[in-house]
Amino acid sequence: MIAGTPAAGAAAPYCAWRGELLWFVADPGPGDGDTASWRHEPDGVLLARGGRIEAAGAASALLAGLPAGTEVVDFRGHLLLPGFVDTHVHYAQTGIIASFGEGLLEWLERCALPAEMRFCDAGHARAEAEFFCTELLRNGTTTALVFATTHPASADAIFEVAAARGLCLVAGKVMMDRNGPAPLRDTAQSSYDESKALIAKWHGHGRLGYAVTPRFAPTSTDAQLEAAGALVREHPGVWLQSHVAESRAEARWVAALFPWSRSYLDVYDRFGLVGPRSVYAHCIHLDRADRERIAAAGAAMSFCPTSNLFLGSGLFDLGAASTAGARVALGTDVGAGTSLGILQTLNEAYKVIRLTGQTLTPMRAFYLATLGGARALGLDARIGSFERGHDADFVVLDPRATPLLAHRMETVESLAGKLFALMTLGDDRAVLATYVMGRRAHLRDATVR
Ligand code: GUN
Ligand code: ZN
């Protein structure tokens, strides 16, 4: 399938990569999937120029017509997919990943918030941002929606490093003016002023975007949620990210703090925070009205399976989300999540969905990891597929990255089988290379197996 053909007579150099190509053009849905929802080229060529995709199609159709002098990088035997999209992650919690916990609120107080306090030190923030962005690229993630901490300098750090690495990244400083440790608390006014200044500095700067980031309803006063609503209204292009309905204890707390609310989601809705640029992590303990409200508002749900299992928060209902018509994508939610990798996130997603009596096919899983993520962020005109003109962000997966994967591949007979083994057994070792805007940003050390 040819998504475009090279423009004639262009001056910038072309780059081409040959391998097995897969990308999505629609949600395959819950069943076996409509083959029209994806494009697959067992021996394909991806052609880019100036960081943008010029063409993606069969090698037999494209190779002969490549502009003279085009270098073709040979990734035959490997799978090329659009770069993964992580729609919910806390970069400041990378250092405390895999800290023993006994549920969301206890873990937050004992592990996550103390780690975030250290981000008052801009040097620490910068070093952690460097480590985090390296890990994203090592895991094949090229786009992420990220929580910083309450410190504005922590947002500066992640934006500066993401820009230097070429990542497509949306982030925001956390707003929290109550129910947290004093060093992490801001005020309604200071959080408004600092967020506004960060929007002016970073939103729309290259591949960066800003997300207004109230941590979650319990840590914001009415005045701060109003301030968040004002920021969103005053800056129509910015995103809004927060948590909703993650654990039952948290939902009870919200009901006590906001006794007038119909539901947890309703708290955000009353302050104008449920809209087409809103991405809510977890969305587990919702009712039908909440899901339908998210869908009607054009907001998105970030499904964070490794976190939900780790904290024992509950099981995300993908079927109910889809029935309501809500956009859904994947989040790692590190540090409560246990991997920065989307492959391991899919591994756990499959199990969570099985526990709800439903299923997650490998085709839908990889849709969620790529185009689904791009759609959830409203970035699907630029990323998430190999359509002509899209940013040339892609991941090269090695189906034989480990002895066990290689052994399993000996009997795999279909594309779906290959994908399923990769998402079940694969991790950062299966990411051979990651490209952002046509530039190689990660290459696995071939000696590390
Ligand atoms: N709810 C509020 N803050 C957090 C956080 O940092 N992690 C998770 N998993 N849930 C939250
Ligand atoms: Zn989170």
Side-chain angles (χ1 to χ4, degrees):
M1 184 72 54
I2 298 174
T5 47
Y14 288 92
C15 300
W17 299 268
R18 184 173 184 180
E20 182 174 358
L21 308 186
L22 174 68
W23 74 100
F24 294 85
V25 294
D27 183 349
D32 277 343
D34 174 4
T35 54
S37 58
W38 64 82
R39 305 279 182 266
H40 178 225
E41 288 296 348
D43 181 11
V45 166
L46 184 64
L47 179 67
R49 180 174 154 262
R52 299 252 149 65
I53 291 168
E54 283 280 329
S60 58
L62 285 178
L63 273 183
L66 288 183
T70 305
E71 188 201 351
V72 183
V73 181
D74 191 352
F75 282 130
R76 275 177 290 178
H78 298 97
L79 198 56
L80 276 63
L81 290 151
F84 295 140
V85 181
D86 182 347
T87 62
H88 182 74
V89 61
H90 303 254
Y91 96 86
Q93 296 175 11
T94 312
I96 53 95
I97 188 172
S99 293
F100 180 85
E102 295 178 283
L104 169 65
L105 300 176
E106 180 275 335
W107 175 88
L108 263 182
E109 195 176 329
R110 200 173 44 77
C111 304
L113 300 183
E116 293 189 15
M117 288 184 212
R118 295 185 60 198
F119 284 70
C120 60
D121 172 355
H124 178 69
R126 175 78 189 207
E128 290 297 296
E130 295 275 6
F131 183 84
F132 172 81
C133 289
T134 302
E135 282 298 296
L136 287 188
L137 291 164
R138 281 185 358 87
N139 281 284
T141 298
T142 53
T143 296
L145 176 58
V146 182
F147 272 57
T149 67
T150 33
H151 316 96
S154 74
D156 286 330
I158 191 68
F159 282 130
E160 282 162 13
V161 175
R165 304 296 180 88
L167 284 161
C168 176
L169 190 126
V170 181
K173 133 192 166 70
V174 168
M175 304 168 77
M176 55 187 290
D177 66 348
R178 66 164 165 170
N179 290 326
L184 286 182
R185 285 201 307 266
D186 50 17
T187 67
Q189 188 63 48
S190 71
S191 66
Y192 173 86
D193 294 342
E194 289 166 356
S195 302
K196 207 171 176 66
L198 287 165
I199 291 168
K201 189 168 175 186
W202 294 110
H203 185 68
H205 175 101
R207 309 189 82 203
L208 307 177
Y210 194 83
V212 174
T213 307
R215 174 169 221 112
F216 68 159
T219 48
S220 288
T221 59
D222 285 19
Q224 187 168 60
L225 294 172
E226 262 161 33
L231 285 166
V232 168
R233 275 195 310 281
E234 290 160 13
H235 306 278
V238 302
W239 282 262
L240 181 291
Q241 60 177 343
S242 194
H243 301 86
V244 74
E246 180 176 3
S247 83
R248 289 196 190 281
E250 169 210 22
R252 283 194 296 272
W253 193 18
V254 171
L257 289 169
F258 301 91
W260 48 262
S261 60
R262 190 202 73 79
S263 68
Y264 189 163
L265 183 78
D266 186 43
V267 174
Y268 296 123
D269 211 7
R270 297 273 182 103
F271 291 99
L273 301 178
V274 184
R277 305 290 271 184
S278 305
V279 181
Y280 280 98
H282 308 301
C283 297
I284 297 170
H285 307 288
L286 298 179
D287 62 14
R288 186 169 154 180
D290 289 328
R291 292 188 182 93
E292 287 177 352
R293 174 66 194 129
I294 287 176
M301 303 181 181
S302 180
F303 170 28
C304 305
T306 75
S307 166
N308 300 159
L309 292 174
F310 179 75
L311 293 175
S313 302
L315 304 174
F316 180 76
D317 191 337
L318 180 62
S322 303
T323 302
R327 286 183 292 157
V328 177
L330 295 162
T332 61
D333 195 28
V334 164
T338 54
S339 171
L340 278 167
I342 290 294
L343 292 176
Q344 276 308 294
T345 303
L346 289 175
N347 177 24
E348 302 292 271
Y350 173 79
K351 296 169 191 169
V352 166
I353 291 170
R354 284 301 303 128
L355 284 169
T356 65
Q358 304 167 33
T359 196
L360 176 65
T361 65
M363 301 316 277
R364 195 169 200 209
F366 280 86
Y367 160 80
L368 291 175
T370 57
L371 183 60
R375 285 182 169 177
L377 299 180
L379 289 172
D380 47 308
R382 279 173 40 202
I383 60 154
S385 92
F386 288 157
E387 298 301 306
R388 184 174 195 194
H390 277 51
D391 296 349
D393 288 357
F394 61 96
V395 56
V396 184
L397 296 181
D398 177 359
R400 293 169 189 78
T402 66
L404 187 58
L405 267 168
H407 193 57
R408 179 69 185 90
M409 288 303 153
E410 286 169 19
T411 50
V412 157
E413 283 171 353
S414 63
L415 171 64
K418 186 186 289 186
L419 293 173
F420 191 66
L422 269 167
M423 70 187 235
T424 306
L425 302 174
D427 52 28
D428 50 342
R429 293 168 296 178
V431 177
L432 178 65
T434 306
Y435 285 74
V436 287
M437 300 289 290
R439 189 181 55 76
R440 198 178 71 204
H442 166 67
L443 180 64
R444 187 191 66 193
D445 179 350
T447 63
V448 178
R449 280 261 156 156

